Amino acid sequence: MKCPRCESPELRKNGRRNGQQRYQCKACGKQFLAPTTTQALPTALGDAVEFDRNGHSEPAPALSAPEASAPSAPGIAILLLDAENLKLDIKTEKFLASLCSSPLQVKIAFANWRNPSLGKLDAELHERGYQLVHVPEGKNSADAKMIAVGSSLFLHYPNVKELFVCSSDGLLTHLCTHLQNLGLTVYRARTKNKTLTVENRRSGELKHYSLTVEAEIPSFEGFVKQVEELIQAEHNSLTERIAQFSAISALFQERRNLTLNASRSNDSPAIAPEATSLAPPPEKEPAPPAAQDADVELNVSAAAPPLPTRSIQSKEEFEGALLEIIESLHLNNPLEKVSVSTLSSEVHKLCGETANSIIKKFKLGGNLTKFLKASPALTLALNATPSTVAVAASLSSKISTREQLEQALVRIVSSLSAKSPGSYLCISNIGSEFQKEYGQPLIKTMRQLGLGSKFPQFLQSCSAFKVEKKGKGYQVALA
């Protein structure tokens, strides 16, 4: 038997009253009568007996029907934190609150708040609604205070249902066991290697939380489920993009037969004189003078373009193709001048692509007009209507034999390698220098002499040169 006030077992008998033994507490002096039943503590066990200050007993007033049927208060959750051992930020605290079914209403933190290593942690926890309990400096001082306060929490908060014990110290296992025996659901939170592990002491379930990533670490089944969700989301995204691409492709296929003229008429009122390469206007509907001054006009008709008959691989080949077209047109109509638009149309027929596209591919200039101006083998007349082009006069004597061609190439190679004798030169540089001196492409000269159109093979057949292949190109030096 204990004192009902201080629960001290040190009692002494203090006479009898109305046949009942009376006792007095040696610690606090409380006088009380011996209980007649085993229900000694009315607040803890729901007894119907109340004791007055002098030890007299009176029956408790009977509860009325509404009061007897009143519902009990909803359960709450309490968090006990050893602030010297474990740090909880707001996100980690929300993770803990998500594990319990009752609302987390009471939070108590224990530490020696004078310790400078804690910094301003007390002010931060106070702002977050923690009750701060100060303990003196000493080993396990905060743990001992947590045990003392935690073991009597149900007296101050009779509606507590769940409780978190946040500390990695093994000493607090006694507190967890005591609270669990009182019927509470106890969660033990510990940290190791930047991971917070929370154990439900009743069910044995473990939850893991990464303090680095600030997210819950899922189980293997949860991980597999999250991966499946990510794969499904990516699949849906790809499906949507493929559908969008298909719609754009169908729109392009539907509109690919429209002429570029129609598109430009909606975008800009006029075309610059040196815009792009254009086909000649039909004879039945002659174009106005402003349109005739334009250099080129691309007209993609519904009919498929002719198959390409020649593949242009360099500036020299493109210039040689232009010279051949001009000479071919002069053979058919010696008195008729070749316009830029006619030349562009013939290039499209011969090569299967427009002159401007070839120029842009090899970065030879902005458009056909600029290329013709810069070419020494061609002469451009801009003052005529429309603009015309012709083959330029030869800048040097004409080569008529294989020996003369070989001698000219030896001289060019010797001149280009004067600063470093015996060094290899790119054959494209030799072709460019030959065109500057003789006013026509080297390939055209070879064809005129019946030597074919493969310059590397011609050089290999000459004893005066050494030819090596470097990657996709060839280099030459004097033997």
Side-chain angles (χ1 to χ4, degrees):
M1 185 172 59
K2 297 180 181 180
C3 175
R5 175 185 293 174
C6 65
E7 298 184 358
S8 174
E10 298 181 1
L11 307 174
R12 65 184 176 187
K13 294 182 179 180
N14 192 20
R16 288 180 172 273
R17 185 173 183 177
N18 297 329
Q20 288 183 310
Q21 181 64 49
R22 185 164 57 182
Y23 293 89
Q24 184 178 14
C25 178
K26 295 181 181 180
C28 63
K30 171 76 173 176
Q31 296 183 10
F32 59 94
L33 299 175
T36 56
T37 64
T38 58
Q39 298 175 343
L41 298 177
T43 57
L45 303 177
D47 198 358
V49 178
E50 292 184 356
F51 297 94
D52 61 8
R53 184 172 299 177
N54 295 324
H56 300 285
S57 61
E58 296 179 1
L63 296 177
S64 61
E67 294 177 350
S69 61
S72 59
I76 64 171
I78 298 178
L79 186 146
L80 303 179
L81 172 62
D82 183 358
E84 297 179 349
N85 180 267
L86 195 149
K87 302 295 187 295
L88 294 181
D89 56 17
I90 297 178
K91 293 184 178 180
T92 309
E93 183 182 311
K94 290 182 179 179
F95 167 72
L96 295 177
S98 66
L99 300 180
C100 58
S101 56
S102 302
L104 182 59
Q105 292 188 358
V106 180
K107 296 175 290 186
I108 308 175
F110 302 83
N112 179 6
W113 301 113
R114 295 179 180 177
N115 191 340
S117 63
L118 296 179
K120 297 182 179 181
L121 182 61
D122 55 345
E124 177 186 346
L125 295 178
H126 177 69
E127 289 292 331
R128 288 162 52 185
Y130 278 80
Q131 299 180 29
L132 305 181
V133 178
H134 175 72
V135 297
E137 184 178 0
K139 184 178 181 180
N140 298 328
S141 181
D143 297 339
K145 191 64 174 179
M146 281 183 65
I147 295 174
V149 174
S151 60
S152 60
L153 277 177
F154 68 93
L155 297 176
H156 303 282
Y157 305 97
N159 57 335
V160 59
K161 301 296 181 184
E162 299 170 275
L163 190 137
F164 290 91
V165 177
C166 301
S167 177
S168 300
D169 293 335
L171 187 63
L172 292 172
T173 304
H174 301 288
L175 174 61
C176 296
T177 303
H178 173 69
L179 296 175
Q180 189 175 350
N181 292 334
L182 294 178
L184 302 181
T185 300
V186 180
Y187 300 91
R188 182 70 185 275
R190 314 180 191 193
T191 56
K192 184 179 181 181
N193 298 329
K194 301 296 182 179
T195 300
L196 177 70
T197 302
V198 184
E199 176 190 7
N200 187 330
R201 301 270 300 183
R202 172 171 294 181
S203 64
E205 182 182 6
L206 294 177
K207 294 289 186 179
H208 303 278
Y209 182 87
S210 174
L211 299 176
T212 305
V213 184
E214 296 183 346
E216 181 181 358
I217 303 175
S219 61
F220 179 76
E221 293 78 9
F223 172 75
V224 171
K225 184 177 180 182
Q226 290 184 11
V227 171
E228 291 177 349
E229 292 176 354
L230 290 175
I231 293 175
Q232 184 63 33
E234 188 66 20
H235 174 72
N236 295 337
S237 177
L238 290 176
T239 302
E240 182 180 355
R241 293 179 184 178
I242 291 174
Q244 293 176 355
F245 177 78
S246 299
I248 295 174
S249 177
L251 183 61
F252 175 77
Q253 292 292 334
E254 180 181 350
R255 298 186 178 182
R256 67 189 180 91
N257 293 330
L258 297 179
T259 62
L260 186 59
N261 282 339
S263 300
R264 286 181 175 175
S265 64
N266 295 331
D267 297 336
S268 59
I271 302 177
E274 298 180 359
T276 50
S277 149
L278 306 184
E283 297 180 359
K284 295 183 179 180
E285 297 180 3
Q292 292 179 357
D293 290 339
D295 292 335
V296 195
E297 184 180 287
L298 177 61
N299 187 1
V300 183
S301 60
L307 294 176
T309 58
R310 179 180 297 184
S311 176
I312 303 298
Q313 300 297 335
S314 64
K315 173 184 177 182
E316 291 74 17
E317 293 185 7
F318 177 62
E319 197 167 42
L322 295 178
L323 292 172
E324 290 183 9
I325 292 173
I326 295 174
E327 291 180 355
S328 176
L329 293 175
H330 276 305
L331 289 175
N332 296 331
N333 299 291
L335 300 178
E336 185 177 352
K337 296 182 179 180
V338 180
S339 65
V340 176
S341 60
T342 302
L343 179 62
S344 175
S345 177
E346 293 298 326
V347 170
H348 188 262
K349 292 178 182 179
L350 179 64
C351 304
E353 55 183 329
T354 63
N356 281 350
S357 63
I358 298 174
I359 291 172
K360 291 180 180 178
K361 185 194 325 185
F362 296 101
K363 298 180 180 179
L364 304 178
N367 52 43
L368 181 58
T369 302
K370 293 182 179 179
F371 177 79
L372 295 176
K373 286 181 180 179
S375 175
L378 299 168
T379 301
L380 180 64
L382 293 175
N383 54 352
T385 304
S387 302
T388 60
V389 61
V391 178
S394 299
L395 302 179
S396 181
S397 60
K398 190 173 182 181
I399 296 176
S400 58
T401 64
R402 172 188 173 96
E403 290 73 15
Q404 291 178 354
L405 176 61
E406 186 173 352
Q407 292 175 3
L409 294 177
V410 169
R411 182 177 52 81
I412 291 173
V413 173
S414 177
S415 175
L416 292 177
S417 60
K419 294 184 179 180
S420 55
S423 61
Y424 281 84
L425 303 173
C426 182
I427 62 174
S428 61
N429 296 337
I430 300 173
S432 300
E433 191 66 22
F434 180 89
Q435 183 172 342
K436 289 180 182 179
E437 291 190 14
Y438 292 92
Q440 67 177 7
L442 177 61
I443 302 299
K444 181 180 178 181
T445 304
M446 293 175 57
R447 288 177 181 172
Q448 290 174 351
L449 299 176
L451 302 177
S453 59
K454 295 184 178 179
F455 185 41
Q457 293 182 1
F458 173 74
L459 292 175
Q460 289 174 351
S461 65
C462 299
S463 59
F465 301 105
K466 296 185 295 184
V467 182
E468 290 186 359
K469 186 174 183 181
K470 296 291 185 180
K472 296 183 179 181
Y474 289 88
Q475 293 183 348
V476 63
L478 294 176

